[in-house]
Amino acid sequence: MTNAAPLTQPLLLELLTEELPPKALQKLGLAFAEGVRKTLAQHNLLAPDCVTVDFSTPRRLAVRLDAVLDQAPEQTYTEKLMPAKIGLTDSGELTPALAKKLAGKGLAHLGASDLIRESDGKQDYLYARGIANGATLAEGLQEALDHAIASLPIPKVMRYQLADGVTSVKFVRPAHRLVALWGDQVVRVSALGLDAGRSTLGHRFMAPQAIAIAAPDSYESQLRDEGRIIASFTARRSLIEQQLQQQAQALGATIGAGPEVDALLDEVTALVEHPTVYVGQFEEQFLQVPPECLILTMRLNQKYFPLFEPAGGKLTHRFLIVSNMQVDDPVHIIEGNQRVVRPRLADAQFFFETDRKTPLADRVAGLAASVYHNKLGSQLERVERVRKIAGYIAGQLGADARHADRAALLAKADLGSNMVAEFPELQGIMGAYYAAADGEADDVVLALKNQYHIRLDAPVDGATLTSAILFIAERAETLMGIWGIGLVPTGERDPYGLRRAALGLISAFEQLGAGGYLKVNDSATLRLPELLASAAGAFKPGALAEPTAAEVQAFIYERYRNQLAGDFDRNVVDAVLALEPALHQVQARIHACADFARRPEAESLAAANKRIANLLKKADSALGAVDHGKLAEPAEQALADVIARLKPQARTQLDQGDFTGSLATMAQARDAVDAFFNDVMVMAEDPALRANRLALLHDLHQVMNQVADISRLAQ
């Protein structure tokens, strides 16, 4: 006779609230569902194949689990109590201390004869072992609900008073109803002053009546059919995207693509419970305003989806509205939205036309009144520092110093414009428009436009060289200045974006190299140490801490290490970056080192280099040149001959940027190196012999590790 399978039924938990923060809604919904699931699983109340489905709308967080037990199976337990000499009297009775501990663990019914005595190797301990009843669903769900609410990633908590006029609770928004159903039965739990039932509310306007949920499996369909609500965030988002694409296609347009569109789609999904898309439009005269201004105000302020021409992506005068209402005649909804957006577009037009009356260069002096940082002075002072750094970079790269200086001078001038004051997101972009209107050179205009990019993604050419110079100068100034006054990134905190600045700087060196401005086979006309020294010199004496340049350089290489570790073997990355080579050479060296690591000679030579490094640390004094007359052993003579033969070839290959070839050349030294360590006592008793052998190894170490510190491959 087999035991019957435990009874499982679907479980539904819903918390009905006031409108939740839209940008946090999806995260709140997922966290609520996971908090409930995790606690129920800990209490063994979920069947092995239980599926969890999360729901979130602007006014509710809910979760459905499709296979939940009404009581968990019995559980065996073992409780380690205390040493026997403390827990039992001489006569074998419970001491007060043990009795109190048993009571605290809910085991007060146990006596001395029920306990087990075992040694832990040092002394005898008392244990309680037995079988405990599993948790009931009501107990487990109450704990799960409390845990889920307490652990929500709430952006800001509010305190509100309950209906009794006395009690107050804290939650993200006031909660009004709680639904808890196991099958068709209400589970008696409570939270936030609410007792669970089966009643929820439909759409605030289209179906405001109460809805009695029959069972968890009917939750979605009842909300959809009776409440006019799409409960699933994912389903609602898909429906909105489908409607947007259909409307755009019908108009021969697109809604665009990219992270901004995805973020807006997430946000409008969190703002509506029953999405319907309508088409709005504005006067075509507003298209004379830079499109970035119109797009930003429509997306950011109004949550509209601007429409673009499919070919070329030019902005049109139409936009899509995601409404929370589905009506037969949407004319009032459409006209209302058009009436709201029109003044915003008119403001943008006014700001643009007003700003253009003042040349961008005339705004530079006003930056003296804008504080950059109280320890680093005004924005104008920062501009002057960036100009100095840009001038140095232009000189190193053979670029047009006048254009580089002009771009640095105008870079922050738009901060005083009306448009940027209203839309800070447009800084740089508006400066480029105003500079173009003033007749500035094309490369200067492009530099202003691109200065806030996170990284450079294309090889630098003649048209973008000024952009690259400004990009590097700004990041060098930021890194040196902010780091130099002690505002170093810590943990997840990086308020001044130094990590992002470091990665941006790295990308600029990479793209300068890709564009041919930094040859892979030379020491580079622009190198990081000299750049940081130049940046330090742009600050007033004593403004920065003494070791700032060295610390920033180490920080940049560490950021590069973390970035590369995801794509390459960590030992290979460490081997290359240990030398802190020119940034534009790093990737080529890594590929060469990775090829070398796959060679049969690599393991032996890496281990030998590690051994050499350790031996060189034991040198009593500075090592001189190798005295070939003191090479007594055939193995050391052979090694010296191999070094003399391979060194020029490896160096030539290195100078030509053939890092793979240079390492392959030195791989030919393996047999000689192995023979040397097999036949020669390096740390000989004769000081002169010992010093000469260490000098030989020093020569080998230098030539072997020109591309990378290959001893790191032995880690």
Side-chain angles (χ1 to χ4, degrees), residues 205-496:
F205 304 109
M206 295 192 295
Q209 71 277 3
I211 302 170
I213 304 299
D217 287 340
S218 67
Y219 177 69
E220 268 189 284
S221 60
Q222 282 190 263
L223 282 184
R224 182 186 64 243
D225 299 337
E226 300 176 40
R228 308 295 299 278
I229 289 170
I230 308 299
S232 166
F233 188 97
T234 304
R236 206 164 59 253
R237 190 184 192 277
S238 297
L239 178 60
I240 294 172
E241 186 171 20
Q242 180 184 2
Q243 292 186 39
L244 288 170
Q245 298 293 355
Q246 288 174 346
Q247 290 280 20
Q249 188 174 7
L251 295 167
T254 73
I255 61 171
E260 298 87 357
V261 176
D262 291 337
L264 180 57
L265 189 51
D266 287 337
E267 190 171 359
V268 296
T269 302
L271 287 168
V272 298
E273 292 189 312
H274 187 97
T276 306
V277 174
Y278 302 114
V279 181
Q281 62 182 25
F282 55 84
E283 290 80 357
E284 294 191 42
Q285 70 183 46
F286 290 123
L287 293 176
Q288 299 174 15
V289 178
E292 292 89 346
C293 307
L294 307 182
I295 294 168
L296 185 63
T297 194
M298 282 190 280
R299 287 177 175 168
L300 182 67
N301 299 124
Q302 303 306 127
K303 316 305 176 191
Y304 299 155
F305 289 82
L307 290 176
F308 304 87
E309 294 178 358
K314 183 179 179 182
L315 181 67
T316 73
H317 70 294
R318 291 189 173 90
F319 57 90
L320 299 180
I321 307 156
V322 180
S323 174
N324 196 31
M325 295 282 289
Q326 182 179 17
V327 295
D328 294 333
D329 184 4
V331 63
H332 295 297
I333 293 175
I334 295 171
E335 288 181 351
N337 281 275
Q338 292 177 167
R339 190 165 53 249
V340 169
V341 76
R342 193 172 292 115
R344 289 194 173 276
L345 300 182
D347 286 344
Q349 183 179 41
F350 172 78
F351 292 148
F352 180 61
E353 292 175 351
T354 302
D355 286 341
R356 288 179 60 184
K357 295 177 182 177
T358 303
L360 193 62
D362 291 353
R363 296 184 181 275
V364 174
L367 295 174
S370 176
V371 176
Y372 171 56
H373 191 282
N374 58 6
K375 292 184 179 180
L376 296 174
S378 67
Q379 286 285 0
L380 182 59
E381 290 175 282
R382 185 187 183 215
V383 164
E384 292 302 321
R385 292 193 293 267
V386 173
R387 290 177 71 185
K388 291 179 182 178
I389 301 168
Y392 167 79
I393 298 170
Q396 296 301 108
L397 297 177
D400 189 325
R402 293 172 304 164
H403 284 198
D405 181 72
R406 189 66 175 174
L409 174 69
L410 300 178
K412 306 303 172 189
D414 66 348
L415 295 180
S417 67
N418 292 296
M419 188 71 83
V420 172
E422 180 70 14
F423 301 112
E425 299 86 350
L426 295 178
Q427 54 189 291
I429 294 173
M430 295 314 304
Y433 277 107
Y434 299 146
D438 294 342
E440 299 288 348
D442 290 345
D443 61 333
V444 172
V445 172
L446 188 61
L448 301 187
K449 182 179 181 180
N450 294 341
Q451 62 181 301
Y452 292 104
H453 286 184
I454 294 176
R455 55 178 292 118
L456 298 188
D457 293 320
V460 176
D461 57 23
T464 59
L465 182 56
T466 302
S467 296
I469 292 171
L470 178 61
F471 187 91
I472 294 171
E474 278 212 358
R475 279 143 191 81
E477 192 278 341
T478 298
L479 284 161
M480 290 297 296
I482 298 301
W483 192 289
I485 59 174
L487 298 177
V488 179
T490 56
E492 294 184 358
R493 287 187 54 78
D494 185 14
Y496 291 91

Side-chain angles (χ1 to χ4, degrees), residues 461-622:
D461 57 23
T464 59
L465 182 56
T466 302
S467 296
I469 292 171
L470 178 61
F471 187 91
I472 294 171
E474 278 212 358
R475 279 143 191 81
E477 192 278 341
T478 298
L479 284 161
M480 290 297 296
I482 298 301
W483 192 289
I485 59 174
L487 298 177
V488 179
T490 56
E492 294 184 358
R493 287 187 54 78
D494 185 14
Y496 291 91
L498 298 191
R499 295 187 181 99
R500 184 172 63 244
L503 293 176
L505 198 62
I506 290 166
S507 75
F509 272 88
E510 289 177 338
Q511 298 303 343
L512 280 170
Y517 287 93
L518 302 177
K519 301 296 184 183
V520 80
N521 62 342
D522 65 17
S523 59
T525 53
L526 180 66
R527 290 177 56 87
L528 182 62
E530 289 79 5
L531 171 64
L532 297 180
S534 171
F539 290 84
K540 295 177 181 178
L544 307 181
E546 187 65 32
T548 298
E551 291 177 358
V552 168
Q553 179 169 321
F555 173 72
I556 291 170
Y557 277 103
E558 183 59 29
R559 295 309 302 164
Y560 208 178
R561 176 179 284 104
N562 293 337
Q563 176 180 285
L564 293 167
D567 298 323
F568 301 97
D569 179 86
R570 185 76 188 217
N571 288 343
V572 171
V573 173
D574 287 344
V576 170
L577 294 187
L579 304 185
E580 293 194 346
L583 290 174
H584 68 289
Q585 293 183 350
V586 168
Q587 298 253 12
R589 287 173 181 252
I590 284 178
H591 285 291
C593 191
D595 287 343
F596 174 79
R598 290 189 287 269
R599 297 180 67 95
E601 305 93 341
E603 183 176 358
S604 174
L605 287 174
N609 263 273
K610 190 171 184 179
R611 184 176 178 183
I612 292 169
N614 291 331
L615 288 169
L616 293 177
K617 292 176 184 177
K618 299 177 182 179
D620 297 328
S621 58

